[in-house]
Amino acid sequence: MRLRSTALDGVVVVERRPIVDERGWFERLFCARELESLTGGKPIVQINRSLTYRRGTVRGLHYQRPPHAEVKLVTCLRGEIFDVAVDLRAGSPTFLQWHGERLSAGDGQMLVVPEGCAHGFQALSDDAELFYLNTAEYAPASEAGLHPEDPRLAIAWPLAITVLSPRDRVHPSISASFEGLQLGMNRTGNTIADDEP
């Protein structure tokens, strides 16, 4: 595996290197030791898979508040997507900036979205299938989201947005007073955050 940094701290593209011979190929999707610096040593506790039927659909922008903040590792198994991470970390030099990465089946790439960042993607093909590794379980009481067309973020989605879920359609835009998520440690050693967009 090779790690390629982006302009956002902790948002990294993992480039897998498959072993290829006359039979086909073999690749490692995850290695705890090699990716420990990106997961903070936290174990992968949930593995998710999604299928998005229609090109142009956007899912997101989603994140979980502590104590259920998560590192998310995303790879595309079928089709192609534009995968986006948005920095919501207070004090970050890239606060409210976003990074987008095209991921497609067979490209051997995975986007790592760290704690304190929102995540979303747009399907660039019909039947786009994703595989997620998460360092926290889904916790409905801790989930939050931002509107994918928030003018303050100005994400340059490659296609016109054709489908948004009812939930994603009503996610708020970031308020002018939002100063970011205050990530730190509480007395029990869990990550905490104070602010809401």
Side-chain angles (χ1 to χ4, degrees), residues 157-187:
W157 300 107
L159 305 174
I161 296 175
T162 56
V163 179
L164 277 176
S165 73
R167 179 183 72 155
D168 290 347
R169 193 175 294 120
V170 298
H171 281 315
S173 292
I174 296 174
S175 70
S177 63
F178 179 58
E179 295 180 358
L181 298 175
Q182 299 291 332
L183 297 175
M185 301 303 284
N186 66 16
R187 286 175 301 205

Short mmCIF file of all heavy atoms in Angstrom, two decimals, residues 157-187:
data_model
loop_
_atom_site.label_atom_id
_atom_site.label_comp_id
_atom_site.label_asym_id
_atom_site.label_seq_id
_atom_site.Cartn_x
_atom_site.Cartn_y
_atom_site.Cartn_z
N TRP A 157 -19.54 19.48 -7.48
CA TRP A 157 -19.98 18.15 -7.88
C TRP A 157 -19.84 18.04 -9.39
O TRP A 157 -20.23 18.96 -10.12
CB TRP A 157 -21.43 17.91 -7.45
CG TRP A 157 -21.64 18.00 -5.97
CD1 TRP A 157 -22.25 19.00 -5.28
CD2 TRP A 157 -21.23 17.04 -4.98
NE1 TRP A 157 -22.24 18.74 -3.93
CE2 TRP A 157 -21.62 17.55 -3.71
CE3 TRP A 157 -20.56 15.82 -5.04
CZ2 TRP A 157 -21.38 16.86 -2.52
CZ3 TRP A 157 -20.32 15.14 -3.85
CH2 TRP A 157 -20.73 15.65 -2.61
N PRO A 158 -19.30 16.95 -9.91
CA PRO A 158 -19.05 16.84 -11.35
C PRO A 158 -20.31 16.86 -12.21
O PRO A 158 -20.29 17.30 -13.35
CB PRO A 158 -18.33 15.50 -11.50
CG PRO A 158 -17.78 15.20 -10.15
CD PRO A 158 -18.71 15.82 -9.17
N LEU A 159 -21.43 16.36 -11.66
CA LEU A 159 -22.68 16.27 -12.40
C LEU A 159 -23.76 17.06 -11.68
O LEU A 159 -23.65 17.33 -10.47
CB LEU A 159 -23.14 14.80 -12.50
CG LEU A 159 -22.16 13.80 -13.09
CD1 LEU A 159 -22.73 12.38 -12.97
CD2 LEU A 159 -21.86 14.13 -14.54
N ALA A 160 -24.81 17.41 -12.40
CA ALA A 160 -25.99 17.97 -11.74
C ALA A 160 -26.52 16.92 -10.78
O ALA A 160 -26.54 15.72 -11.09
CB ALA A 160 -27.04 18.33 -12.78
N ILE A 161 -26.93 17.35 -9.58
CA ILE A 161 -27.46 16.42 -8.60
C ILE A 161 -28.87 16.01 -9.04
O ILE A 161 -29.76 16.85 -9.17
CB ILE A 161 -27.48 17.03 -7.19
CG1 ILE A 161 -26.04 17.32 -6.73
CG2 ILE A 161 -28.17 16.10 -6.20
CD1 ILE A 161 -25.94 18.03 -5.40
N THR A 162 -29.05 14.71 -9.26
CA THR A 162 -30.34 14.21 -9.74
C THR A 162 -31.20 13.62 -8.62
O THR A 162 -32.42 13.66 -8.69
CB THR A 162 -30.13 13.13 -10.82
OG1 THR A 162 -29.31 12.09 -10.29
CG2 THR A 162 -29.48 13.72 -12.05
N VAL A 163 -30.57 13.05 -7.60
CA VAL A 163 -31.31 12.42 -6.50
C VAL A 163 -30.63 12.75 -5.18
O VAL A 163 -29.41 12.65 -5.06
CB VAL A 163 -31.36 10.87 -6.67
CG1 VAL A 163 -32.11 10.24 -5.50
CG2 VAL A 163 -31.97 10.46 -7.99
N LEU A 164 -31.44 13.16 -4.20
CA LEU A 164 -31.03 13.31 -2.80
C LEU A 164 -32.09 12.63 -1.96
O LEU A 164 -33.28 12.74 -2.25
CB LEU A 164 -30.98 14.79 -2.39
CG LEU A 164 -29.76 15.62 -2.70
CD1 LEU A 164 -30.01 17.06 -2.27
CD2 LEU A 164 -28.54 15.08 -2.00
N SER A 165 -31.69 11.94 -0.92
CA SER A 165 -32.68 11.32 -0.03
C SER A 165 -33.45 12.42 0.70
O SER A 165 -32.94 13.54 0.86
CB SER A 165 -31.99 10.40 0.97
OG SER A 165 -31.31 11.17 1.94
N PRO A 166 -34.66 12.12 1.17
CA PRO A 166 -35.39 13.12 1.96
C PRO A 166 -34.58 13.61 3.15
O PRO A 166 -34.60 14.80 3.48
CB PRO A 166 -36.65 12.37 2.41
CG PRO A 166 -36.86 11.33 1.35
CD PRO A 166 -35.47 10.91 0.93
N ARG A 167 -33.83 12.72 3.79
CA ARG A 167 -33.00 13.11 4.95
C ARG A 167 -31.90 14.07 4.53
O ARG A 167 -31.67 15.10 5.17
CB ARG A 167 -32.41 11.86 5.59
CG ARG A 167 -31.51 12.15 6.78
CD ARG A 167 -30.89 10.90 7.34
NE ARG A 167 -29.88 10.40 6.43
CZ ARG A 167 -28.86 9.64 6.80
NH1 ARG A 167 -28.71 9.28 8.05
NH2 ARG A 167 -27.98 9.22 5.93
N ASP A 168 -31.18 13.75 3.43
CA ASP A 168 -30.08 14.61 2.99
C ASP A 168 -30.59 15.96 2.48
O ASP A 168 -29.91 16.97 2.61
CB ASP A 168 -29.25 13.92 1.92
CG ASP A 168 -28.44 12.74 2.47
OD1 ASP A 168 -28.33 12.62 3.71
OD2 ASP A 168 -27.92 11.96 1.67
N ARG A 169 -31.78 15.97 1.92
CA ARG A 169 -32.34 17.21 1.37
C ARG A 169 -32.59 18.24 2.46
O ARG A 169 -32.53 19.44 2.19
CB ARG A 169 -33.65 16.87 0.65
CG ARG A 169 -34.16 17.99 -0.22
CD ARG A 169 -35.40 17.59 -1.02
NE ARG A 169 -35.07 16.55 -1.99
CZ ARG A 169 -35.61 15.33 -2.01
NH1 ARG A 169 -36.50 14.98 -1.11
NH2 ARG A 169 -35.25 14.47 -2.93
N VAL A 170 -32.85 17.79 3.70
CA VAL A 170 -33.15 18.74 4.78
C VAL A 170 -31.97 19.00 5.71
O VAL A 170 -32.11 19.71 6.70
CB VAL A 170 -34.39 18.30 5.60
CG1 VAL A 170 -35.62 18.25 4.72
CG2 VAL A 170 -34.15 16.97 6.29
N HIS A 171 -30.80 18.43 5.40
CA HIS A 171 -29.62 18.77 6.21
C HIS A 171 -29.37 20.26 6.10
O HIS A 171 -29.55 20.86 5.03
CB HIS A 171 -28.38 18.00 5.75
CG HIS A 171 -28.32 16.59 6.23
ND1 HIS A 171 -28.61 16.21 7.52
CD2 HIS A 171 -27.99 15.45 5.57
CE1 HIS A 171 -28.46 14.91 7.65
NE2 HIS A 171 -28.10 14.42 6.48
N PRO A 172 -28.93 20.90 7.19
CA PRO A 172 -28.73 22.35 7.17
C PRO A 172 -27.46 22.76 6.43
O PRO A 172 -26.54 21.97 6.25
CB PRO A 172 -28.61 22.70 8.65
CG PRO A 172 -27.98 21.47 9.26
CD PRO A 172 -28.60 20.31 8.50
N SER A 173 -27.46 24.02 6.03
CA SER A 173 -26.21 24.65 5.61
C SER A 173 -25.47 25.11 6.86
O SER A 173 -26.07 25.21 7.94
CB SER A 173 -26.49 25.85 4.70
OG SER A 173 -27.03 25.40 3.47
N ILE A 174 -24.20 25.39 6.73
CA ILE A 174 -23.40 25.82 7.87
C ILE A 174 -23.75 27.26 8.22
O ILE A 174 -23.76 28.13 7.34
CB ILE A 174 -21.90 25.70 7.55
CG1 ILE A 174 -21.55 24.23 7.32
CG2 ILE A 174 -21.05 26.27 8.67
CD1 ILE A 174 -20.13 24.01 6.85
N SER A 175 -24.01 27.51 9.49
CA SER A 175 -24.35 28.86 9.92
C SER A 175 -23.09 29.73 9.96
O SER A 175 -21.98 29.22 10.09
CB SER A 175 -25.00 28.84 11.30
OG SER A 175 -24.05 28.49 12.28
N ALA A 176 -23.30 31.03 9.86
CA ALA A 176 -22.17 31.97 9.89
C ALA A 176 -21.43 31.91 11.22
O ALA A 176 -20.24 32.25 11.29
CB ALA A 176 -22.67 33.38 9.62
N SER A 177 -22.10 31.47 12.28
CA SER A 177 -21.46 31.44 13.60
C SER A 177 -20.72 30.13 13.88
O SER A 177 -20.08 30.00 14.92
CB SER A 177 -22.52 31.66 14.69
OG SER A 177 -23.48 30.62 14.65
N PHE A 178 -20.80 29.17 12.97
CA PHE A 178 -20.16 27.87 13.21
C PHE A 178 -18.64 28.01 13.24
O PHE A 178 -18.03 28.49 12.29
CB PHE A 178 -20.56 26.87 12.12
CG PHE A 178 -19.93 25.52 12.25
CD1 PHE A 178 -20.09 24.75 13.39
CD2 PHE A 178 -19.16 24.99 11.22
CE1 PHE A 178 -19.51 23.49 13.51
CE2 PHE A 178 -18.58 23.74 11.32
CZ PHE A 178 -18.75 22.99 12.47
N GLU A 179 -18.03 27.61 14.35
CA GLU A 179 -16.58 27.72 14.52
C GLU A 179 -15.86 26.39 14.41
O GLU A 179 -14.65 26.33 14.57
CB GLU A 179 -16.26 28.39 15.86
CG GLU A 179 -16.75 29.82 15.92
CD GLU A 179 -16.44 30.49 17.25
OE1 GLU A 179 -15.87 29.83 18.14
OE2 GLU A 179 -16.77 31.68 17.38
N GLY A 180 -16.61 25.32 14.18
CA GLY A 180 -15.99 24.02 13.98
C GLY A 180 -16.20 23.07 15.12
O GLY A 180 -16.63 23.45 16.21
N LEU A 181 -15.89 21.82 14.86
CA LEU A 181 -15.99 20.78 15.88
C LEU A 181 -14.76 20.82 16.77
O LEU A 181 -13.63 20.81 16.28
CB LEU A 181 -16.08 19.40 15.21
CG LEU A 181 -17.30 19.17 14.32
CD1 LEU A 181 -17.18 17.82 13.64
CD2 LEU A 181 -18.58 19.28 15.11
N GLN A 182 -14.99 20.88 18.07
CA GLN A 182 -13.90 20.88 19.04
C GLN A 182 -13.58 19.43 19.39
O GLN A 182 -14.27 18.84 20.22
CB GLN A 182 -14.30 21.66 20.30
CG GLN A 182 -14.63 23.11 20.05
CD GLN A 182 -13.42 23.92 19.66
OE1 GLN A 182 -12.29 23.59 20.03
NE2 GLN A 182 -13.64 24.97 18.90
N LEU A 183 -12.61 18.88 18.75
CA LEU A 183 -12.24 17.49 19.02
C LEU A 183 -11.19 17.46 20.12
O LEU A 183 -10.27 18.26 20.13
CB LEU A 183 -11.69 16.83 17.76
CG LEU A 183 -12.67 16.72 16.59
CD1 LEU A 183 -11.96 16.15 15.38
CD2 LEU A 183 -13.86 15.87 16.95
N GLY A 184 -11.33 16.53 21.02
CA GLY A 184 -10.38 16.37 22.12
C GLY A 184 -10.71 15.10 22.86
O GLY A 184 -11.39 14.23 22.35
N MET A 185 -10.24 14.98 24.07
CA MET A 185 -10.50 13.77 24.86
C MET A 185 -11.23 14.16 26.13
O MET A 185 -10.88 15.13 26.78
CB MET A 185 -9.17 13.09 25.23
CG MET A 185 -8.32 12.68 24.04
SD MET A 185 -9.14 11.58 22.89
CE MET A 185 -9.05 10.06 23.80
N ASN A 186 -12.24 13.37 26.49
CA ASN A 186 -12.90 13.60 27.77
C ASN A 186 -12.28 12.71 28.85
O ASN A 186 -11.33 12.00 28.59
CB ASN A 186 -14.43 13.40 27.66
CG ASN A 186 -14.81 11.96 27.36
OD1 ASN A 186 -14.01 11.05 27.52
ND2 ASN A 186 -16.04 11.77 26.93
N ARG A 187 -12.84 12.73 30.04
CA ARG A 187 -12.23 11.98 31.15
C ARG A 187 -12.20 10.48 30.92
O ARG A 187 -11.38 9.78 31.48
CB ARG A 187 -13.01 12.27 32.45
CG ARG A 187 -12.73 13.64 33.01
CD ARG A 187 -13.59 13.88 34.19
NE ARG A 187 -14.98 13.76 33.70
CZ ARG A 187 -16.01 14.34 34.29
NH1 ARG A 187 -15.86 15.03 35.37
NH2 ARG A 187 -17.20 14.22 33.79
#
